[in-house]
Amino acid sequence: HLEKYIKVITNKNVKVSLHSESGLGDGASMFSKYLASEVEKFNGNFKRALRESLKEIKNNAKIKGIRVNGCGRLGKAPMAKTEWFKYGQIPLNEISAFVDYASSTANTKYGCVGIKVWIYFYN
């Protein structure tokens, strides 16, 4: 039904397909959005939110490595700072590696926190 409605609006043939992701470790976009919501819930405590969310994703057999960057007023700090966490290996210079990247923003009462996530999967 959705394809018919879009065709009526745009006068073009459109193909819609849905892809479901079952867990946090299936994609970097889902993990970054989840981590942003956790940072908002813990009021900017990035390390605590990261520790809580990595418990769920670490035992995924498809993941070879994770890198997470957090930038902003982390932990009620008066100045912005950058903290990062790395688990496993992340080949950021290798073209043939399957690395998924996503970024999101968490809005806390102290300011915005930018979150970037790289996940390296087995081929």
Side-chain angles (χ1 to χ4, degrees):
H1 297 293
L2 182 62
E3 292 174 355
K4 291 178 186 177
Y5 291 125
I6 294 174
K7 184 178 180 180
V8 168
I9 294 171
T10 62
N11 294 327
K12 295 181 181 178
N13 290 331
V14 177
K15 178 70 177 164
V16 176
S17 62
L18 301 175
H19 174 73
S20 65
E21 294 183 353
S22 60
L24 287 176
D26 290 343
S29 63
M30 184 175 283
F31 185 64
S32 69
K33 289 176 186 174
Y34 176 76
L35 192 57
S37 68
E38 290 292 309
V39 169
E40 289 174 355
K41 186 167 71 173
F42 292 128
N43 283 328
N45 196 343
F46 179 72
K47 285 186 180 180
R48 181 176 176 190
L50 184 64
R51 187 174 47 238
E52 294 292 322
S53 59
L54 280 177
K55 287 178 185 176
E56 300 178 24
I57 199 173
K58 261 190 176 179
N59 295 328
N60 194 336
K62 297 185 291 184
I63 294 177
K64 214 173 194 181
I66 302 170
R67 180 184 169 126
V68 180
N69 281 12
C71 306
R73 291 188 59 188
L74 303 172
K76 306 173 191 174
M79 287 182 60
K81 59 182 176 179
T82 301
E83 290 187 7
W84 60 276
F85 175 79
K86 186 175 164 185
Y87 168 74
Q89 57 181 348
I90 302 288
L92 297 178
N93 293 331
E94 189 176 325
I95 294 174
S96 64
F98 183 55
V99 177
D100 193 13
Y101 168 78
S103 65
S104 62
T105 305
N107 295 315
T108 64
K109 63 181 180 180
Y110 304 106
C112 294
V113 176
I115 297 169
K116 299 176 187 174
V117 175
W118 292 264
I119 298 180
Y120 179 39
F121 295 100
Y122 284 107
N123 289 338

Short mmCIF file of all heavy atoms in Angstrom, two decimals, residues 32-33 36-37 40 103-108 111-115:
data_model
loop_
_atom_site.label_atom_id
_atom_site.label_comp_id
_atom_site.label_asym_id
_atom_site.label_seq_id
_atom_site.Cartn_x
_atom_site.Cartn_y
_atom_site.Cartn_z
N SER A 32 24.79 3.77 17.95
CA SER A 32 25.04 5.18 18.29
C SER A 32 23.76 5.85 18.81
O SER A 32 23.82 6.65 19.74
CB SER A 32 25.58 5.92 17.08
OG SER A 32 24.61 6.05 16.08
N LYS A 33 22.61 5.52 18.24
CA LYS A 33 21.36 6.10 18.73
C LYS A 33 21.03 5.60 20.13
O LYS A 33 20.55 6.34 20.98
CB LYS A 33 20.22 5.78 17.76
CG LYS A 33 20.32 6.53 16.47
CD LYS A 33 19.23 6.13 15.50
CE LYS A 33 19.44 6.80 14.16
NZ LYS A 33 18.47 6.31 13.16
N ALA A 36 23.33 7.38 22.52
CA ALA A 36 22.89 8.76 22.72
C ALA A 36 21.72 8.82 23.69
O ALA A 36 21.67 9.70 24.57
CB ALA A 36 22.49 9.39 21.39
N SER A 37 20.79 7.89 23.59
CA SER A 37 19.67 7.88 24.53
C SER A 37 20.13 7.54 25.95
O SER A 37 19.61 8.07 26.93
CB SER A 37 18.59 6.91 24.08
OG SER A 37 19.04 5.58 24.16
N GLU A 40 21.71 10.67 27.42
CA GLU A 40 20.66 11.60 27.85
C GLU A 40 20.02 11.13 29.15
O GLU A 40 19.68 11.94 30.00
CB GLU A 40 19.60 11.72 26.76
CG GLU A 40 20.07 12.49 25.55
CD GLU A 40 19.08 12.49 24.42
OE1 GLU A 40 18.04 11.81 24.52
OE2 GLU A 40 19.35 13.18 23.43
N SER A 103 27.10 8.39 13.40
CA SER A 103 27.24 9.42 14.43
C SER A 103 25.86 9.89 14.85
O SER A 103 24.90 9.83 14.07
CB SER A 103 28.06 10.60 13.92
OG SER A 103 27.37 11.24 12.87
N SER A 104 25.76 10.33 16.09
CA SER A 104 24.51 10.86 16.62
C SER A 104 24.82 11.90 17.68
O SER A 104 25.96 12.02 18.13
CB SER A 104 23.63 9.74 17.17
OG SER A 104 24.27 9.11 18.24
N THR A 105 23.80 12.63 18.08
CA THR A 105 23.96 13.70 19.06
C THR A 105 23.02 13.47 20.22
O THR A 105 21.85 13.18 20.04
CB THR A 105 23.65 15.06 18.42
OG1 THR A 105 24.47 15.23 17.27
CG2 THR A 105 23.91 16.19 19.38
N ALA A 106 23.56 13.61 21.43
CA ALA A 106 22.76 13.50 22.65
C ALA A 106 22.62 14.90 23.24
O ALA A 106 23.62 15.59 23.45
CB ALA A 106 23.43 12.57 23.64
N ASN A 107 21.40 15.32 23.50
CA ASN A 107 21.14 16.64 24.09
C ASN A 107 20.91 16.47 25.59
O ASN A 107 19.91 15.93 26.01
CB ASN A 107 19.92 17.28 23.44
CG ASN A 107 20.15 17.57 21.98
OD1 ASN A 107 21.19 18.08 21.61
ND2 ASN A 107 19.19 17.22 21.15
N THR A 108 21.87 16.93 26.38
CA THR A 108 21.75 16.89 27.83
C THR A 108 21.50 18.31 28.34
O THR A 108 21.56 19.27 27.58
CB THR A 108 23.02 16.32 28.48
OG1 THR A 108 24.11 17.20 28.22
CG2 THR A 108 23.35 14.94 27.93
N GLY A 111 24.57 20.54 27.70
CA GLY A 111 24.97 20.83 26.33
C GLY A 111 24.88 19.57 25.47
O GLY A 111 24.45 18.51 25.93
N CYS A 112 25.30 19.69 24.25
CA CYS A 112 25.24 18.57 23.30
C CYS A 112 26.49 17.71 23.42
O CYS A 112 27.59 18.21 23.64
CB CYS A 112 25.12 19.07 21.88
SG CYS A 112 23.58 19.92 21.55
N VAL A 113 26.30 16.41 23.25
CA VAL A 113 27.40 15.45 23.24
C VAL A 113 27.35 14.73 21.90
O VAL A 113 26.34 14.10 21.56
CB VAL A 113 27.29 14.44 24.40
CG1 VAL A 113 28.38 13.40 24.31
CG2 VAL A 113 27.34 15.16 25.73
N GLY A 114 28.41 14.83 21.13
CA GLY A 114 28.50 14.14 19.85
C GLY A 114 29.08 12.75 20.04
O GLY A 114 30.09 12.58 20.72
N ILE A 115 28.45 11.76 19.44
CA ILE A 115 28.88 10.37 19.59
C ILE A 115 29.14 9.80 18.20
O ILE A 115 28.29 9.88 17.32
CB ILE A 115 27.81 9.54 20.32
CG1 ILE A 115 27.62 10.09 21.73
CG2 ILE A 115 28.20 8.08 20.36
CD1 ILE A 115 26.44 9.54 22.45
#
